[in-house]
Amino acid sequence: LFAVPMILGDLLQQCYNIADTLIVGRFLGADALAAVGASSSITFLFVAIATGLSIGSSVVISQYFGAKRYGEMKTAIQTVLLASFVIALCLMLVGIFGTDAILRFMQTPQKIFSDASLYLKIYFCGLVFLFLYNMLTASFNAIGDSKSPLVFLALSSVCNIVLDLYFVTKLKMGVAGADISQAISVVVSFLWLCTRMKKMKTQQKSRIFDLHILEIVCNVAVPSMLQQSMVSIGIFLVQRLVNGYGEAVMAGYA
């Protein structure tokens, strides 16, 4: 009963990429699809980092919740949200300024280079929302609520498809219109989590940030991040190999 909403949530998350692939391939053609595909293995690496961090966070938060130490639980949630925001901000800046260098290393063909660069930069601009969404979902799961993230994700998935179609087909924004919408689920999830936390009464006052709690989270999160990243690095290297065969093969692979 607890796992099924989490599984459905993972499936819905795939809808973001599936929707982008379907809409770009259908309305913008093979070259645009190859440009989006060239970025997928790179974005997967950042998803792996966010996932690893969320695993470490959920372990610590759930321990405090199970022990009914709600003050420390609230501190842990606020700490991981703040830490993930800072990490995402740093990765966003590195990503935006390093996009072209990454794509050149990936042997991205010149014909689709500008589209791939634009799509990837827009993705990096939304990296903060990706990290925060993963942290919020981990927090909900840690306090025994796996249904709320599913509802919010379903809402944003529908919005993503509608907005993708509007930006790509109506506004003719090309690949720039195919990377939006997770911000909606982040805002709604955050507001609902704040409501849930206010209902948990505790005499101990929570803190916005606690370095000791962050250290505990890192002890669990860092090995998980490395494990997740190993898989994504493999995909990254395979994509580099595929890119060497040109945009037609890239579109087929995507």
PDB file of all heavy atoms in Angstrom, residues 76-113:
ATOM      1  N   ALA A  76      15.705  18.734  10.368  1.00  0.00           N
ATOM      2  CA  ALA A  76      16.305  17.916   9.314  1.00  0.00           C
ATOM      3  C   ALA A  76      15.715  18.257   7.948  1.00  0.00           C
ATOM      4  O   ALA A  76      16.444  18.388   6.955  1.00  0.00           O
ATOM      5  CB  ALA A  76      16.099  16.436   9.621  1.00  0.00           C
ATOM      6  N   ILE A  77      14.388  18.408   7.893  1.00  0.00           N
ATOM      7  CA  ILE A  77      13.722  18.749   6.628  1.00  0.00           C
ATOM      8  C   ILE A  77      14.201  20.101   6.123  1.00  0.00           C
ATOM      9  O   ILE A  77      14.539  20.267   4.937  1.00  0.00           O
ATOM     10  CB  ILE A  77      12.189  18.745   6.800  1.00  0.00           C
ATOM     11  CG1 ILE A  77      11.688  17.312   7.021  1.00  0.00           C
ATOM     12  CG2 ILE A  77      11.500  19.367   5.585  1.00  0.00           C
ATOM     13  CD1 ILE A  77      10.212  17.211   7.350  1.00  0.00           C
ATOM     14  N   GLN A  78      14.243  21.088   7.024  1.00  0.00           N
ATOM     15  CA  GLN A  78      14.681  22.432   6.622  1.00  0.00           C
ATOM     16  C   GLN A  78      16.147  22.443   6.214  1.00  0.00           C
ATOM     17  O   GLN A  78      16.542  23.143   5.266  1.00  0.00           O
ATOM     18  CB  GLN A  78      14.414  23.405   7.777  1.00  0.00           C
ATOM     19  CG  GLN A  78      12.935  23.691   7.976  1.00  0.00           C
ATOM     20  CD  GLN A  78      12.582  24.256   9.342  1.00  0.00           C
ATOM     21  OE1 GLN A  78      11.414  24.486   9.630  1.00  0.00           O
ATOM     22  NE2 GLN A  78      13.561  24.493  10.185  1.00  0.00           N
ATOM     23  N   THR A  79      16.949  21.642   6.895  1.00  0.00           N
ATOM     24  CA  THR A  79      18.380  21.562   6.576  1.00  0.00           C
ATOM     25  C   THR A  79      18.609  20.978   5.193  1.00  0.00           C
ATOM     26  O   THR A  79      19.389  21.523   4.396  1.00  0.00           O
ATOM     27  CB  THR A  79      19.120  20.708   7.633  1.00  0.00           C
ATOM     28  OG1 THR A  79      19.019  21.350   8.912  1.00  0.00           O
ATOM     29  CG2 THR A  79      20.589  20.540   7.265  1.00  0.00           C
ATOM     30  N   VAL A  80      17.926  19.863   4.890  1.00  0.00           N
ATOM     31  CA  VAL A  80      18.159  19.214   3.588  1.00  0.00           C
ATOM     32  C   VAL A  80      17.585  20.044   2.441  1.00  0.00           C
ATOM     33  O   VAL A  80      18.142  20.056   1.333  1.00  0.00           O
ATOM     34  CB  VAL A  80      17.591  17.778   3.552  1.00  0.00           C
ATOM     35  CG1 VAL A  80      18.295  16.904   4.568  1.00  0.00           C
ATOM     36  CG2 VAL A  80      16.090  17.751   3.777  1.00  0.00           C
ATOM     37  N   LEU A  81      16.490  20.747   2.689  1.00  0.00           N
ATOM     38  CA  LEU A  81      15.933  21.617   1.644  1.00  0.00           C
ATOM     39  C   LEU A  81      16.898  22.759   1.331  1.00  0.00           C
ATOM     40  O   LEU A  81      17.136  23.083   0.156  1.00  0.00           O
ATOM     41  CB  LEU A  81      14.572  22.167   2.069  1.00  0.00           C
ATOM     42  CG  LEU A  81      13.389  21.202   2.022  1.00  0.00           C
ATOM     43  CD1 LEU A  81      12.137  21.853   2.604  1.00  0.00           C
ATOM     44  CD2 LEU A  81      13.115  20.748   0.589  1.00  0.00           C
ATOM     45  N   LEU A  82      17.450  23.360   2.386  1.00  0.00           N
ATOM     46  CA  LEU A  82      18.401  24.461   2.191  1.00  0.00           C
ATOM     47  C   LEU A  82      19.676  23.967   1.522  1.00  0.00           C
ATOM     48  O   LEU A  82      20.194  24.604   0.588  1.00  0.00           O
ATOM     49  CB  LEU A  82      18.714  25.108   3.537  1.00  0.00           C
ATOM     50  CG  LEU A  82      19.589  26.368   3.508  1.00  0.00           C
ATOM     51  CD1 LEU A  82      18.928  27.451   2.665  1.00  0.00           C
ATOM     52  CD2 LEU A  82      19.853  26.873   4.925  1.00  0.00           C
ATOM     53  N   ALA A  83      20.183  22.809   1.980  1.00  0.00           N
ATOM     54  CA  ALA A  83      21.414  22.259   1.405  1.00  0.00           C
ATOM     55  C   ALA A  83      21.221  21.885  -0.057  1.00  0.00           C
ATOM     56  O   ALA A  83      22.089  22.155  -0.900  1.00  0.00           O
ATOM     57  CB  ALA A  83      21.856  21.029   2.205  1.00  0.00           C
ATOM     58  N   SER A  84      20.079  21.264  -0.373  1.00  0.00           N
ATOM     59  CA  SER A  84      19.818  20.870  -1.762  1.00  0.00           C
ATOM     60  C   SER A  84      19.668  22.085  -2.665  1.00  0.00           C
ATOM     61  O   SER A  84      20.089  22.062  -3.823  1.00  0.00           O
ATOM     62  CB  SER A  84      18.566  19.991  -1.841  1.00  0.00           C
ATOM     63  OG  SER A  84      17.419  20.703  -1.416  1.00  0.00           O
ATOM     64  N   PHE A  85      19.101  23.169  -2.109  1.00  0.00           N
ATOM     65  CA  PHE A  85      18.966  24.406  -2.886  1.00  0.00           C
ATOM     66  C   PHE A  85      20.342  24.959  -3.246  1.00  0.00           C
ATOM     67  O   PHE A  85      20.591  25.351  -4.394  1.00  0.00           O
ATOM     68  CB  PHE A  85      18.172  25.439  -2.080  1.00  0.00           C
ATOM     69  CG  PHE A  85      18.068  26.781  -2.752  1.00  0.00           C
ATOM     70  CD1 PHE A  85      17.158  26.994  -3.777  1.00  0.00           C
ATOM     71  CD2 PHE A  85      18.898  27.833  -2.372  1.00  0.00           C
ATOM     72  CE1 PHE A  85      17.067  28.233  -4.411  1.00  0.00           C
ATOM     73  CE2 PHE A  85      18.815  29.068  -2.990  1.00  0.00           C
ATOM     74  CZ  PHE A  85      17.894  29.269  -4.014  1.00  0.00           C
ATOM     75  N   VAL A  86      21.251  24.993  -2.267  1.00  0.00           N
ATOM     76  CA  VAL A  86      22.603  25.521  -2.499  1.00  0.00           C
ATOM     77  C   VAL A  86      23.370  24.638  -3.487  1.00  0.00           C
ATOM     78  O   VAL A  86      24.028  25.141  -4.408  1.00  0.00           O
ATOM     79  CB  VAL A  86      23.373  25.633  -1.161  1.00  0.00           C
ATOM     80  CG1 VAL A  86      24.829  26.005  -1.409  1.00  0.00           C
ATOM     81  CG2 VAL A  86      22.720  26.658  -0.255  1.00  0.00           C
ATOM     82  N   ILE A  87      23.286  23.309  -3.300  1.00  0.00           N
ATOM     83  CA  ILE A  87      23.973  22.374  -4.204  1.00  0.00           C
ATOM     84  C   ILE A  87      23.452  22.528  -5.628  1.00  0.00           C
ATOM     85  O   ILE A  87      24.222  22.587  -6.593  1.00  0.00           O
ATOM     86  CB  ILE A  87      23.788  20.922  -3.717  1.00  0.00           C
ATOM     87  CG1 ILE A  87      24.543  20.703  -2.403  1.00  0.00           C
ATOM     88  CG2 ILE A  87      24.284  19.928  -4.774  1.00  0.00           C
ATOM     89  CD1 ILE A  87      24.222  19.391  -1.720  1.00  0.00           C
ATOM     90  N   ALA A  88      22.120  22.599  -5.757  1.00  0.00           N
ATOM     91  CA  ALA A  88      21.510  22.739  -7.085  1.00  0.00           C
ATOM     92  C   ALA A  88      21.914  24.053  -7.738  1.00  0.00           C
ATOM     93  O   ALA A  88      22.156  24.114  -8.951  1.00  0.00           O
ATOM     94  CB  ALA A  88      19.989  22.653  -6.967  1.00  0.00           C
ATOM     95  N   LEU A  89      21.995  25.111  -6.940  1.00  0.00           N
ATOM     96  CA  LEU A  89      22.383  26.423  -7.466  1.00  0.00           C
ATOM     97  C   LEU A  89      23.810  26.379  -8.014  1.00  0.00           C
ATOM     98  O   LEU A  89      24.092  26.911  -9.101  1.00  0.00           O
ATOM     99  CB  LEU A  89      22.272  27.469  -6.358  1.00  0.00           C
ATOM    100  CG  LEU A  89      22.112  28.933  -6.782  1.00  0.00           C
ATOM    101  CD1 LEU A  89      20.855  29.129  -7.603  1.00  0.00           C
ATOM    102  CD2 LEU A  89      22.080  29.820  -5.540  1.00  0.00           C
ATOM    103  N   CYS A  90      24.716  25.725  -7.272  1.00  0.00           N
ATOM    104  CA  CYS A  90      26.110  25.600  -7.725  1.00  0.00           C
ATOM    105  C   CYS A  90      26.196  24.769  -9.003  1.00  0.00           C
ATOM    106  O   CYS A  90      26.893  25.156  -9.964  1.00  0.00           O
ATOM    107  CB  CYS A  90      26.963  24.960  -6.630  1.00  0.00           C
ATOM    108  SG  CYS A  90      27.155  25.976  -5.147  1.00  0.00           S
ATOM    109  N   LEU A  91      25.485  23.639  -9.033  1.00  0.00           N
ATOM    110  CA  LEU A  91      25.491  22.779 -10.226  1.00  0.00           C
ATOM    111  C   LEU A  91      24.854  23.487 -11.416  1.00  0.00           C
ATOM    112  O   LEU A  91      25.276  23.299 -12.562  1.00  0.00           O
ATOM    113  CB  LEU A  91      24.747  21.478  -9.931  1.00  0.00           C
ATOM    114  CG  LEU A  91      25.438  20.510  -8.955  1.00  0.00           C
ATOM    115  CD1 LEU A  91      24.529  19.330  -8.649  1.00  0.00           C
ATOM    116  CD2 LEU A  91      26.769  20.026  -9.523  1.00  0.00           C
ATOM    117  N   MET A  92      23.841  24.306 -11.141  1.00  0.00           N
ATOM    118  CA  MET A  92      23.183  25.064 -12.207  1.00  0.00           C
ATOM    119  C   MET A  92      24.165  26.015 -12.881  1.00  0.00           C
ATOM    120  O   MET A  92      24.246  26.080 -14.122  1.00  0.00           O
ATOM    121  CB  MET A  92      22.002  25.846 -11.638  1.00  0.00           C
ATOM    122  CG  MET A  92      21.255  26.682 -12.670  1.00  0.00           C
ATOM    123  SD  MET A  92      19.988  27.736 -11.922  1.00  0.00           S
ATOM    124  CE  MET A  92      21.014  29.055 -11.250  1.00  0.00           C
ATOM    125  N   LEU A  93      24.936  26.736 -12.080  1.00  0.00           N
ATOM    126  CA  LEU A  93      25.908  27.686 -12.631  1.00  0.00           C
ATOM    127  C   LEU A  93      27.006  26.964 -13.415  1.00  0.00           C
ATOM    128  O   LEU A  93      27.383  27.385 -14.512  1.00  0.00           O
ATOM    129  CB  LEU A  93      26.520  28.518 -11.506  1.00  0.00           C
ATOM    130  CG  LEU A  93      25.556  29.467 -10.776  1.00  0.00           C
ATOM    131  CD1 LEU A  93      26.229  30.115  -9.579  1.00  0.00           C
ATOM    132  CD2 LEU A  93      25.030  30.531 -11.738  1.00  0.00           C
ATOM    133  N   VAL A  94      27.501  25.859 -12.844  1.00  0.00           N
ATOM    134  CA  VAL A  94      28.519  25.056 -13.539  1.00  0.00           C
ATOM    135  C   VAL A  94      27.957  24.529 -14.858  1.00  0.00           C
ATOM    136  O   VAL A  94      28.624  24.568 -15.901  1.00  0.00           O
ATOM    137  CB  VAL A  94      28.984  23.876 -12.652  1.00  0.00           C
ATOM    138  CG1 VAL A  94      29.857  22.917 -13.451  1.00  0.00           C
ATOM    139  CG2 VAL A  94      29.750  24.405 -11.449  1.00  0.00           C
ATOM    140  N   GLY A  95      26.718  24.052 -14.809  1.00  0.00           N
ATOM    141  CA  GLY A  95      26.086  23.490 -16.000  1.00  0.00           C
ATOM    142  C   GLY A  95      25.865  24.515 -17.098  1.00  0.00           C
ATOM    143  O   GLY A  95      26.180  24.276 -18.264  1.00  0.00           O
ATOM    144  N   ILE A  96      25.322  25.675 -16.723  1.00  0.00           N
ATOM    145  CA  ILE A  96      25.024  26.716 -17.719  1.00  0.00           C
ATOM    146  C   ILE A  96      26.295  27.174 -18.427  1.00  0.00           C
ATOM    147  O   ILE A  96      26.338  27.288 -19.656  1.00  0.00           O
ATOM    148  CB  ILE A  96      24.304  27.910 -17.056  1.00  0.00           C
ATOM    149  CG1 ILE A  96      22.877  27.499 -16.645  1.00  0.00           C
ATOM    150  CG2 ILE A  96      24.252  29.109 -18.001  1.00  0.00           C
ATOM    151  CD1 ILE A  96      22.153  28.539 -15.826  1.00  0.00           C
ATOM    152  N   PHE A  97      27.340  27.452 -17.641  1.00  0.00           N
ATOM    153  CA  PHE A  97      28.580  27.959 -18.225  1.00  0.00           C
ATOM    154  C   PHE A  97      29.420  26.851 -18.871  1.00  0.00           C
ATOM    155  O   PHE A  97      30.294  27.137 -19.692  1.00  0.00           O
ATOM    156  CB  PHE A  97      29.407  28.702 -17.176  1.00  0.00           C
ATOM    157  CG  PHE A  97      28.794  29.996 -16.733  1.00  0.00           C
ATOM    158  CD1 PHE A  97      28.230  30.124 -15.474  1.00  0.00           C
ATOM    159  CD2 PHE A  97      28.745  31.085 -17.593  1.00  0.00           C
ATOM    160  CE1 PHE A  97      27.645  31.315 -15.068  1.00  0.00           C
ATOM    161  CE2 PHE A  97      28.161  32.286 -17.202  1.00  0.00           C
ATOM    162  CZ  PHE A  97      27.607  32.393 -15.933  1.00  0.00           C
ATOM    163  N   GLY A  98      29.136  25.598 -18.513  1.00  0.00           N
ATOM    164  CA  GLY A  98      29.913  24.499 -19.074  1.00  0.00           C
ATOM    165  C   GLY A  98      29.189  23.683 -20.136  1.00  0.00           C
ATOM    166  O   GLY A  98      29.727  22.684 -20.618  1.00  0.00           O
ATOM    167  N   THR A  99      27.979  24.118 -20.511  1.00  0.00           N
ATOM    168  CA  THR A  99      27.159  23.355 -21.457  1.00  0.00           C
ATOM    169  C   THR A  99      27.887  23.061 -22.762  1.00  0.00           C
ATOM    170  O   THR A  99      27.940  21.911 -23.222  1.00  0.00           O
ATOM    171  CB  THR A  99      25.839  24.100 -21.755  1.00  0.00           C
ATOM    172  OG1 THR A  99      25.028  24.101 -20.580  1.00  0.00           O
ATOM    173  CG2 THR A  99      25.067  23.417 -22.871  1.00  0.00           C
ATOM    174  N   ASP A 100      28.418  24.082 -23.392  1.00  0.00           N
ATOM    175  CA  ASP A 100      29.063  23.899 -24.697  1.00  0.00           C
ATOM    176  C   ASP A 100      30.271  22.974 -24.610  1.00  0.00           C
ATOM    177  O   ASP A 100      30.499  22.145 -25.502  1.00  0.00           O
ATOM    178  CB  ASP A 100      29.472  25.259 -25.284  1.00  0.00           C
ATOM    179  CG  ASP A 100      28.270  26.094 -25.706  1.00  0.00           C
ATOM    180  OD1 ASP A 100      27.138  25.561 -25.659  1.00  0.00           O
ATOM    181  OD2 ASP A 100      28.452  27.268 -26.069  1.00  0.00           O
ATOM    182  N   ALA A 101      31.046  23.092 -23.538  1.00  0.00           N
ATOM    183  CA  ALA A 101      32.211  22.223 -23.357  1.00  0.00           C
ATOM    184  C   ALA A 101      31.775  20.767 -23.191  1.00  0.00           C
ATOM    185  O   ALA A 101      32.401  19.847 -23.737  1.00  0.00           O
ATOM    186  CB  ALA A 101      33.019  22.676 -22.144  1.00  0.00           C
ATOM    187  N   ILE A 102      30.692  20.546 -22.435  1.00  0.00           N
ATOM    188  CA  ILE A 102      30.168  19.198 -22.233  1.00  0.00           C
ATOM    189  C   ILE A 102      29.703  18.604 -23.558  1.00  0.00           C
ATOM    190  O   ILE A 102      30.002  17.446 -23.878  1.00  0.00           O
ATOM    191  CB  ILE A 102      29.005  19.209 -21.215  1.00  0.00           C
ATOM    192  CG1 ILE A 102      29.507  19.618 -19.830  1.00  0.00           C
ATOM    193  CG2 ILE A 102      28.336  17.837 -21.138  1.00  0.00           C
ATOM    194  CD1 ILE A 102      28.395  19.899 -18.830  1.00  0.00           C
ATOM    195  N   LEU A 103      28.969  19.395 -24.344  1.00  0.00           N
ATOM    196  CA  LEU A 103      28.443  18.906 -25.623  1.00  0.00           C
ATOM    197  C   LEU A 103      29.565  18.623 -26.622  1.00  0.00           C
ATOM    198  O   LEU A 103      29.467  17.690 -27.424  1.00  0.00           O
ATOM    199  CB  LEU A 103      27.454  19.921 -26.203  1.00  0.00           C
ATOM    200  CG  LEU A 103      26.114  20.034 -25.456  1.00  0.00           C
ATOM    201  CD1 LEU A 103      25.280  21.179 -26.029  1.00  0.00           C
ATOM    202  CD2 LEU A 103      25.337  18.724 -25.545  1.00  0.00           C
ATOM    203  N   ARG A 104      30.631  19.419 -26.564  1.00  0.00           N
ATOM    204  CA  ARG A 104      31.773  19.143 -27.454  1.00  0.00           C
ATOM    205  C   ARG A 104      32.450  17.835 -27.053  1.00  0.00           C
ATOM    206  O   ARG A 104      32.841  17.044 -27.913  1.00  0.00           O
ATOM    207  CB  ARG A 104      32.770  20.308 -27.408  1.00  0.00           C
ATOM    208  CG  ARG A 104      32.386  21.475 -28.316  1.00  0.00           C
ATOM    209  CD  ARG A 104      33.530  22.464 -28.475  1.00  0.00           C
ATOM    210  NE  ARG A 104      33.755  23.216 -27.240  1.00  0.00           N
ATOM    211  CZ  ARG A 104      33.162  24.368 -26.964  1.00  0.00           C
ATOM    212  NH1 ARG A 104      32.294  24.897 -27.812  1.00  0.00           N
ATOM    213  NH2 ARG A 104      33.422  24.998 -25.832  1.00  0.00           N
ATOM    214  N   PHE A 105      32.582  17.612 -25.734  1.00  0.00           N
ATOM    215  CA  PHE A 105      33.144  16.344 -25.259  1.00  0.00           C
ATOM    216  C   PHE A 105      32.265  15.169 -25.686  1.00  0.00           C
ATOM    217  O   PHE A 105      32.766  14.077 -25.972  1.00  0.00           O
ATOM    218  CB  PHE A 105      33.280  16.371 -23.734  1.00  0.00           C
ATOM    219  CG  PHE A 105      33.729  15.054 -23.146  1.00  0.00           C
ATOM    220  CD1 PHE A 105      35.057  14.668 -23.219  1.00  0.00           C
ATOM    221  CD2 PHE A 105      32.811  14.200 -22.546  1.00  0.00           C
ATOM    222  CE1 PHE A 105      35.473  13.450 -22.696  1.00  0.00           C
ATOM    223  CE2 PHE A 105      33.218  12.973 -22.013  1.00  0.00           C
ATOM    224  CZ  PHE A 105      34.554  12.600 -22.096  1.00  0.00           C
ATOM    225  N   MET A 106      30.967  15.413 -25.752  1.00  0.00           N
ATOM    226  CA  MET A 106      30.008  14.370 -26.137  1.00  0.00           C
ATOM    227  C   MET A 106      29.973  14.124 -27.646  1.00  0.00           C
ATOM    228  O   MET A 106      29.180  13.322 -28.127  1.00  0.00           O
ATOM    229  CB  MET A 106      28.604  14.763 -25.661  1.00  0.00           C
ATOM    230  CG  MET A 106      28.434  14.741 -24.155  1.00  0.00           C
ATOM    231  SD  MET A 106      28.377  13.082 -23.487  1.00  0.00           S
ATOM    232  CE  MET A 106      26.803  12.515 -24.080  1.00  0.00           C
ATOM    233  N   GLN A 107      30.801  14.838 -28.399  1.00  0.00           N
ATOM    234  CA  GLN A 107      30.868  14.705 -29.860  1.00  0.00           C
ATOM    235  C   GLN A 107      29.536  15.035 -30.529  1.00  0.00           C
ATOM    236  O   GLN A 107      29.121  14.388 -31.488  1.00  0.00           O
ATOM    237  CB  GLN A 107      31.303  13.283 -30.260  1.00  0.00           C
ATOM    238  CG  GLN A 107      32.626  12.842 -29.678  1.00  0.00           C
ATOM    239  CD  GLN A 107      33.058  11.490 -30.204  1.00  0.00           C
ATOM    240  OE1 GLN A 107      33.704  11.402 -31.256  1.00  0.00           O
ATOM    241  NE2 GLN A 107      32.712  10.418 -29.484  1.00  0.00           N
ATOM    242  N   THR A 108      28.858  16.044 -29.990  1.00  0.00           N
ATOM    243  CA  THR A 108      27.573  16.459 -30.546  1.00  0.00           C
ATOM    244  C   THR A 108      27.774  17.081 -31.928  1.00  0.00           C
ATOM    245  O   THR A 108      28.574  18.005 -32.074  1.00  0.00           O
ATOM    246  CB  THR A 108      26.888  17.486 -29.619  1.00  0.00           C
ATOM    247  OG1 THR A 108      26.807  16.937 -28.298  1.00  0.00           O
ATOM    248  CG2 THR A 108      25.491  17.823 -30.120  1.00  0.00           C
ATOM    249  N   PRO A 109      27.064  16.587 -32.972  1.00  0.00           N
ATOM    250  CA  PRO A 109      27.217  17.136 -34.322  1.00  0.00           C
ATOM    251  C   PRO A 109      26.886  18.630 -34.388  1.00  0.00           C
ATOM    252  O   PRO A 109      25.988  19.095 -33.683  1.00  0.00           O
ATOM    253  CB  PRO A 109      26.204  16.319 -35.146  1.00  0.00           C
ATOM    254  CG  PRO A 109      26.025  15.054 -34.378  1.00  0.00           C
ATOM    255  CD  PRO A 109      26.152  15.443 -32.931  1.00  0.00           C
ATOM    256  N   GLN A 110      27.595  19.353 -35.236  1.00  0.00           N
ATOM    257  CA  GLN A 110      27.425  20.798 -35.337  1.00  0.00           C
ATOM    258  C   GLN A 110      26.014  21.181 -35.767  1.00  0.00           C
ATOM    259  O   GLN A 110      25.479  22.222 -35.357  1.00  0.00           O
ATOM    260  CB  GLN A 110      28.444  21.371 -36.335  1.00  0.00           C
ATOM    261  CG  GLN A 110      28.653  22.885 -36.215  1.00  0.00           C
ATOM    262  CD  GLN A 110      29.163  23.295 -34.833  1.00  0.00           C
ATOM    263  OE1 GLN A 110      30.013  22.634 -34.259  1.00  0.00           O
ATOM    264  NE2 GLN A 110      28.640  24.388 -34.296  1.00  0.00           N
ATOM    265  N   LYS A 111      25.386  20.319 -36.575  1.00  0.00           N
ATOM    266  CA  LYS A 111      24.052  20.614 -37.120  1.00  0.00           C
ATOM    267  C   LYS A 111      23.016  20.799 -36.012  1.00  0.00           C
ATOM    268  O   LYS A 111      22.079  21.594 -36.151  1.00  0.00           O
ATOM    269  CB  LYS A 111      23.620  19.498 -38.075  1.00  0.00           C
ATOM    270  CG  LYS A 111      22.319  19.774 -38.802  1.00  0.00           C
ATOM    271  CD  LYS A 111      21.997  18.635 -39.754  1.00  0.00           C
ATOM    272  CE  LYS A 111      20.680  18.894 -40.489  1.00  0.00           C
ATOM    273  NZ  LYS A 111      20.327  17.768 -41.380  1.00  0.00           N
ATOM    274  N   ILE A 112      23.142  20.057 -34.918  1.00  0.00           N
ATOM    275  CA  ILE A 112      22.152  20.131 -33.838  1.00  0.00           C
ATOM    276  C   ILE A 112      22.736  20.753 -32.571  1.00  0.00           C
ATOM    277  O   ILE A 112      22.083  20.772 -31.533  1.00  0.00           O
ATOM    278  CB  ILE A 112      21.598  18.726 -33.504  1.00  0.00           C
ATOM    279  CG1 ILE A 112      22.731  17.817 -32.989  1.00  0.00           C
ATOM    280  CG2 ILE A 112      20.894  18.118 -34.693  1.00  0.00           C
ATOM    281  CD1 ILE A 112      22.245  16.543 -32.360  1.00  0.00           C
ATOM    282  N   PHE A 113      23.962  21.266 -32.677  1.00  0.00           N
ATOM    283  CA  PHE A 113      24.672  21.754 -31.489  1.00  0.00           C
ATOM    284  C   PHE A 113      23.914  22.888 -30.804  1.00  0.00           C
ATOM    285  O   PHE A 113      23.759  22.890 -29.578  1.00  0.00           O
ATOM    286  CB  PHE A 113      26.079  22.220 -31.869  1.00  0.00           C
ATOM    287  CG  PHE A 113      26.984  22.441 -30.690  1.00  0.00           C
ATOM    288  CD1 PHE A 113      27.845  21.436 -30.254  1.00  0.00           C
ATOM    289  CD2 PHE A 113      26.985  23.652 -29.998  1.00  0.00           C
ATOM    290  CE1 PHE A 113      28.684  21.627 -29.162  1.00  0.00           C
ATOM    291  CE2 PHE A 113      27.815  23.856 -28.907  1.00  0.00           C
ATOM    292  CZ  PHE A 113      28.663  22.840 -28.481  1.00  0.00           C
TER     293      PHE A 113
END
